[in-house]
C-alpha cells in the first residue's frame, strides 16, 4: 500500500490492478465452490444465483458510493486509499477472528426445521 501511495507511475498502477484482479478472481472461485458444496444438488443453482445477485447488488452500491466518497474527500486519492486500506484491515481482522474461533462457533445452531446438507 505504501508503494502505491508514494508514486503515481503507470507501471505501479497496472501492477496494483493486476493484483486486485487476481484476488477478485480467487475469491469468486472460492465462494462458488463453497456455495455449491454447502447445498444439495437441487438447491445449489438457486443458492448460487442468489449469492451472485447479492454480490452484484453490493458491488453496484460500492461503485456508486465510491464516487461520492471520493468527492467528499476533496478528491484526495491518498485519503481515499487510506480509507479503503483501513476498511480492508477491518475485514481481514474479522476473517482472522472467524478462522481462529471457527465459523461453527461464531454462527448460531441451525434450526431443526431447516434441512442441512451433508458435507
Amino acid at each position: 500500500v505504501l508503494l502505491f501511495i508514494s508514486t503515481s507511475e503507470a507501471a505501479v498502477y497496472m501492477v496494483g490492478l493486476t493484483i486486485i484482479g487476481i484476488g477478485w478472481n480467487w475469491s469468486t472461485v472460492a465462494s462458488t465452490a463453497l456455495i455449491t458444496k454447502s447445498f444439495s444438488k437441487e438447491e445449489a443453482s438457486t443458492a448460487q444465483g442468489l449469492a451472485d445477485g447479492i454480490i452484484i447488488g453490493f458491488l453496484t452500491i460500492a461503485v456508486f458510493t465510491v464516487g461520492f466518497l471520493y468527492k467528499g474527500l476533496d478528491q484526495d486519492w491518498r485519503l481515499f486509499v487510506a480509507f479503503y486500506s483501513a476498511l480492508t484491515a477491518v475485514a481481514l481482522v474479522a476473517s482472522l477472528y472467524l478462522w481462529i474461533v471457527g465459523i461453527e462457533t461464531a454462527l448460531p445452531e441451525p434450526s431443526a426445521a431447516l434441512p442441512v446438507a451433508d458435507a
Side-chain angles (χ1 to χ4, degrees):
V1 173
L2 294 176
L3 177 65
F4 296 111
I5 292 174
S6 66
T7 186
S8 60
E9 294 191 26
V12 174
Y13 179 73
M14 296 304 277
V15 168
L17 285 178
T18 302
I19 292 169
I20 289 171
I22 291 170
W24 177 264
N25 287 326
W26 284 351
S27 65
T28 303
V29 169
S31 66
T32 300
L34 287 173
I35 287 172
T36 55
K37 282 184 175 181
S38 300
F39 292 91
S40 66
K41 290 182 181 181
E42 296 82 24
E43 299 172 324
S45 60
T46 303
Q48 185 63 44
L50 180 62
D52 287 345
I54 291 170
I55 290 169
I56 290 174
F58 277 112
L59 185 60
T60 303
I61 292 168
V63 165
F64 283 109
T65 304
V66 77
F68 292 116
L69 180 64
Y70 187 66
K71 187 175 180 179
L73 293 173
D74 294 326
Q75 298 180 353
D76 185 3
W77 64 272
R78 286 185 174 97
L79 285 173
F80 187 73
V81 169
F83 174 78
Y84 277 99
S85 296
L87 191 62
T88 301
V90 168
L92 180 63
V93 168
S95 297
L96 287 173
Y97 171 77
L98 289 175
W99 181 60
I100 291 170
V101 175
I103 196 158
E104 290 84 15
T105 59
L107 295 175
E109 289 293 322
S111 171
L114 297 174
V116 177
D118 292 332

